[in-house]
Amino acid sequence: MNQEKIGKFIAENRKGNHLTQEALAFKLGVSKNAVSKWERGLNLPDASIMSELCKILGITLNELFNGEKIPDSKYKEVADSNLLSALENSAFTIKDKIDYFKKKWQKEHFLELMLVMIIIVFFIIYGFIKDNGLQYLFMILGFISSIIENNRMMAYVESNAYGRNLNISADDFKNSIKRLEEFKEVVSKFNSKEEAIAYLVKETGLTRKECIEAYDFAFKTNFKKIK
């Protein structure tokens, strides 16, 4: 999130709506100094007034976070990008990513794994029936095979779950938490989950399912413990 770009965008839309910094500050119940800091990229508006700020300026939350107007043709793409940026850059979501890519790999290799397991079990049973020692060989092969498949899976998981986030900085981590806290504060002001979801669908262009998942994720996360 580029604070300087967002600040310039706020200033541009304030002027476009023929508002002085004092007038905007009055409408939001903040000081002129606060508005000045936003526009200079020193601070971001508090989450509690973001929705009202957007309403006054005639913009959406996604446009505010993006720091520019979003064409209809690109709205969902930018909305997805804003949401993914918050999730992908948050180190505390890594466990969820690992679980997801493990399940994905297992699903994609299900038939292969089942075939290998059936062959090994067959020869183990056959070895016991014939008592020819073959069962021990295939028990060893089964053990080795499980290690190889697990290593393959973990290599896939590491490649996809960590990716470019290996070098995440402390500031990136703190900013990610702050963005998600702000998101939580905004949606928590609605009287019900249904109202919040309807608002998110309208503001982000995401599907209802995606908005529900984002809402549930934010509310099940204890940000104080993360800090």
Side-chain angles (χ1 to χ4, degrees):
M1 193 180 296
N2 189 323
Q3 288 189 193
E4 186 176 343
K5 183 179 180 182
I6 291 173
K8 290 179 180 178
F9 185 59
I10 291 174
E12 175 187 324
N13 282 278
R14 172 181 60 78
K15 294 171 184 175
N17 282 276
H18 309 292
L19 292 170
T20 62
Q21 288 186 341
E22 291 91 340
L24 179 59
F26 178 78
K27 286 177 176 287
L28 293 170
V30 299
S31 67
K32 175 189 173 183
N33 188 46
V35 175
S36 176
K37 285 184 177 180
W38 302 342
E39 296 187 353
R40 286 182 287 152
L42 300 179
N43 285 329
L44 287 174
D46 188 78
S48 62
I49 60 173
M50 280 188 178
S51 180
E52 184 63 22
L53 172 64
C54 289
K55 188 183 297 183
I56 294 170
L57 298 182
I59 59 177
T60 67
L61 277 173
N62 266 300
E63 288 174 331
L64 175 64
F65 294 146
N66 203 49
E68 62 183 3
K69 288 284 187 178
I70 305 171
D72 290 341
S73 60
K74 291 187 177 180
Y75 199 88
K76 188 176 187 306
E77 178 186 340
V78 174
D80 286 344
S81 178
N82 284 338
L83 181 58
L84 286 174
S85 176
L87 296 177
E88 288 180 358
N89 291 318
S90 301
F92 59 85
T93 66
I94 198 65
K95 183 180 181 299
D96 294 327
K97 291 183 181 181
I98 289 173
D99 290 341
Y100 170 78
F101 284 111
K102 274 185 179 179
K103 291 176 182 177
K104 188 172 186 293
W105 188 90
Q106 289 167 349
K107 183 178 180 180
E108 292 174 350
H109 295 79
F110 177 76
L111 293 177
E112 174 191 331
L113 296 173
M114 285 298 295
L115 180 61
V116 171
M117 185 177 73
I118 289 171
I119 292 173
I120 290 174
V121 171
F122 172 80
F123 280 103
I124 289 175
I125 295 174
Y126 178 79
F128 276 113
I129 293 174
K130 294 295 184 179
D131 194 24
N132 56 10
L134 198 62
Q135 66 270 30
Y136 301 111
L137 172 62
F138 274 87
M139 286 173 70
I140 294 172
L141 287 176
F143 177 70
I144 295 173
S145 176
S146 66
I147 293 176
I148 292 173
E149 293 302 321
N150 186 67
N151 287 341
R152 286 178 60 202
M153 179 180 69
M154 292 312 299
Y156 171 83
V157 170
E158 289 175 10
S159 173
N160 287 277
Y162 294 94
R164 66 188 177 197
N165 297 322
L166 289 174
N167 297 319
I168 185 171
S169 68
D171 286 340
D172 289 336
F173 177 70
K174 290 177 182 177
N175 287 334
S176 296
I177 294 176
K178 183 178 179 181
R179 288 200 297 271
L180 288 169
E181 279 187 296
E182 289 170 349
F183 167 80
K184 186 174 181 178
E185 284 183 35
V186 169
V187 295
S188 66
K189 294 185 180 298
F190 288 88
N191 294 324
S192 67
K193 179 177 178 178
E194 284 303 314
E195 287 184 17
I197 297 303
Y199 172 79
L200 290 174
V201 170
K202 179 181 177 182
E203 286 291 322
T204 65
L206 297 173
T207 65
R208 177 179 169 78
K209 180 181 178 183
E210 289 170 326
C211 290
I212 290 175
E213 289 175 350
Y215 180 96
D216 290 341
F217 173 80
F219 274 85
K220 76 178 182 180
T221 303
N222 189 328
F223 296 104
K224 290 183 180 179
K225 285 186 177 181
I226 294 168
K227 289 180 178 179

